[in-house]
Amino acid sequence: MPQRDGSYPRCDDDRAPTSPRPPDPARHGGAGRGGADRRLQRRLRRDRRAARRPDAAGTRHAGGPLDLVAWAGYAENGTNDPKVDWVTPFTKATGCKVYTKVADTSDSMVALMKTGRYDGVSASGDASLRLIYGGTVAPVNTGLLSSWDDIAKYLKNQPYNSAAGRMYGVPHGYGANMLMYRTDKITQRPTSWSVVWDKESPAAGHVVAYDSPIYIADAALYLKTHRPDLKITDVYELDDKQFDAAVDLLKKQRPNVNQYWANYLDELQSFKSGYNYAGTAWQVTANLAMTDKAPVATTIPDEGATGWSDTWMISSKAQHPTCMYKWMNWITMPKVQAEVAQWFGEAPANPKACRYTAKGFCSTYHVGDPEFYKRLAFWKTPVKNCGDDRGNKCVDYSRWAQAWTQIKG
């Protein structure tokens, strides 16, 4: 089974065949950002012209290579499982041969895309704004996306995939960072994330947490409800006081954490063995655990949850834009969306995929449910501009990364 963090072996050759396998203008560098804003506007004008080029529309250059950076499991060619292959049919239909570099973290994705060697990337929200602000990716011409009208409206023009009113990519799939717990250790369904933060919790000493700076947002989410004096409105737009409170909570949690996971199969084994009692997990992890008869369940507590929504983005230096647009059209087709979603374990961005999924899959993943979506605080890159009257007083991602190193010790 594939995973978001790239646990499958990666090819040393960056061009190795696809690897087998979880705002307003101010927010996006608008008013208050001075020169940065002017540079962004220049890029937008340049990228609008690029999006209108015939080559981007796919009217020239049939076929060719396509170089992607992706999460493991997003570009399957049958190597991992002969029955799981949507890349080979894509190549046969378009003539575009896919080469994928599997990235294990969002930081890796950003670094790889900055080399200019890749045509596109399956970016999560904690990478996408860095790619946009850095001029690494270009806005897409949605008129060239055949399934654009079918993509769930609540996934479009979000703070993590758009800037200055322009979409930077096409939504791929999404999911929640659920609270998973062992029902033999915690017999009542937790209604609060306090089960992972409270030192007197029945899970104390057996808590599991996601190993990434973006997990700081989970602490902020808890404080948003339980520390109203902090006045947190967006868990990714934290000023110094709010940020310090979140970091302090994470440091207090540290003695109760027995595992920080990036590889969800590691978390799965720990839950199955009874080593973990409660913590952040993806639904696919719970499904696998329950398949193996482990006594686990998932819930979204009253405070809500963080989540991830991935977007296929095209490089501003794409050497093969025609093939990239063809890929974005292919990967959002209902049948292909169903294949990817069921293999990876996520909600497809195109609800029409439910026509092709197994019975019960779409209800389990809350596909096409805007109310479920509203309960999630989707990952986005923390930037200095708070997006409100605080101006440039928020803590940017570089400080989140520094703090995370200190938290883990």
Side-chain angles (χ1 to χ4, degrees), residues 59-72:
T59 57
R60 297 192 320 215
H61 307 318
L66 175 63
D67 297 303
L68 300 175
V69 175
W71 294 114

Side-chain angles (χ1 to χ4, degrees), residues 160-190:
Y160 52 80
N161 61 20
S162 66
R166 295 281 290 176
M167 276 296 298
Y168 278 76
V170 61
H172 168 89
Y174 62 97
N177 296 316
M178 313 282 287
L179 171 59
M180 185 159 81
Y181 61 100
R182 280 190 63 104
T183 56
D184 58 337
K185 304 296 183 181
I186 302 172
T187 56
Q188 296 295 317
R189 181 182 69 85

Side-chain angles (χ1 to χ4, degrees), residues 41-60 138-145 166-167 314-316 321-322 325 328:
Q41 294 305 318
R42 286 196 294 271
R43 286 200 301 270
L44 285 170
R45 288 193 292 271
R46 178 200 67 197
D47 293 338
R48 287 191 186 101
R49 292 193 295 270
R52 290 195 293 267
R53 289 200 307 264
D55 188 47
T59 57
R60 297 192 320 215
V140 295
N141 184 340
T142 58
L144 303 178
L145 302 176
R166 295 281 290 176
M167 276 296 298
I314 184 170
S315 171
S316 58
T322 298
Y325 267 85
M328 289 190 289

